[in-house]
Amino acid sequence: MPLHVPPAPAPALRSVLTALGSPTAVREARTPSLRNVQGPVSPELPLPVYVLDRNAPAGATVTRLTGWRFLIRCGERAVAAAETMLTPDGWAFSHFFEGPYVTSTERALRQAENMQQTFQPRLLSVPELYMLTLWLHGDCVADSGTGHPLATDLLVPLAPAPPGIAAHRPHRVAELLPVLTHRVTPAPLLGSPA
């Protein structure tokens, strides 16, 4: 089934296109593959980036939208990614980057396209675990700028994943989120009341 990729906010896309057209932004980026690319590049597959809020009340899953990520494609492959962020003035270009999450995101998206159900792809970051997942949201018509993971949604950990969590293996939110929440919850100090 095809993925239902939501459209990015127009200002976010414009900011990435402007950065790609700026020799200074590309030259100063810490992305050798983007600086050395031969041929035209284009931002594709915009994905909303959410962060898991560790300050959520016990038992609650709270996420917040922090940006939009675009894979920067040259020919048949992604060579880098561009991230935008929400500022008081609206969506703005943040930075270019490369590394394992670019190829891992591409792999997870291809994997998701072969599933029986249609999903809306998003990214869910768990900063305390240095973890990024492809969040496959079951409500394809949902506003991509809002929402929280449903128990039946899927999370696909991207490589590199934290120890003990298999990369590229889809997990239902109801199964994986409690494990992640437990890992990011600080343990009580010795001698303090629980």
Side-chain angles (χ1 to χ4, degrees):
M1 289 271 175
L3 294 173
H4 185 282
V5 179
L13 176 58
R14 275 195 305 272
S15 72
V16 170
L17 290 170
T18 300
L20 282 170
S22 165
T24 305
V26 172
R27 189 172 46 252
E28 291 179 3
R30 294 190 175 127
T31 52
S33 62
L34 186 59
R35 285 195 309 263
N36 300 328
V37 74
Q38 299 294 319
V41 295
S42 61
E44 296 180 4
L45 292 169
L47 298 172
V49 180
Y50 284 80
V51 172
L52 184 64
D53 189 353
R54 73 176 251 192
N55 296 321
T61 301
V62 178
T63 58
R64 60 186 163 80
L65 179 67
T66 60
W68 281 80
R69 183 171 295 174
F70 298 79
L71 293 180
I72 306 300
R73 205 170 274 294
C74 179
E76 294 296 314
R77 68 183 188 95
V79 294
E83 190 134 337
T84 63
M85 63 183 179
L86 190 57
T87 69
D89 295 326
W91 291 102
F93 172 74
S94 175
H95 62 282
F96 292 116
F97 65 94
E98 60 184 51
Y101 285 136
V102 174
T103 54
S104 188
T105 300
E106 243 186 342
R107 177 180 169 188
L109 287 166
R110 279 194 311 270
Q111 181 181 356
E113 285 176 344
N114 293 322
M115 294 181 175
Q116 297 299 316
Q117 184 179 347
T118 302
F119 292 100
Q120 183 187 87
R122 301 171 174 199
L123 294 171
L124 180 62
S125 174
V126 186
E128 293 85 1
L129 298 179
Y130 301 99
M131 181 179 186
L132 185 64
T133 69
L134 178 63
W135 167 13
L136 298 172
H137 193 48
D139 184 355
C140 294
V141 296
D143 177 358
S144 57
T146 61
H148 59 279
L150 304 173
T152 55
D153 287 353
L154 297 177
L155 295 177
V156 182
L158 301 180
I165 297 175
H168 296 287
R169 181 175 169 259
H171 301 268
R172 294 241 177 254
V173 165
E175 298 164 359
L176 184 60
L177 215 48
V179 172
L180 301 180
T181 305
H182 177 71
R183 285 192 179 190
V184 298
T185 303
L189 297 173
L190 291 176
S192 65

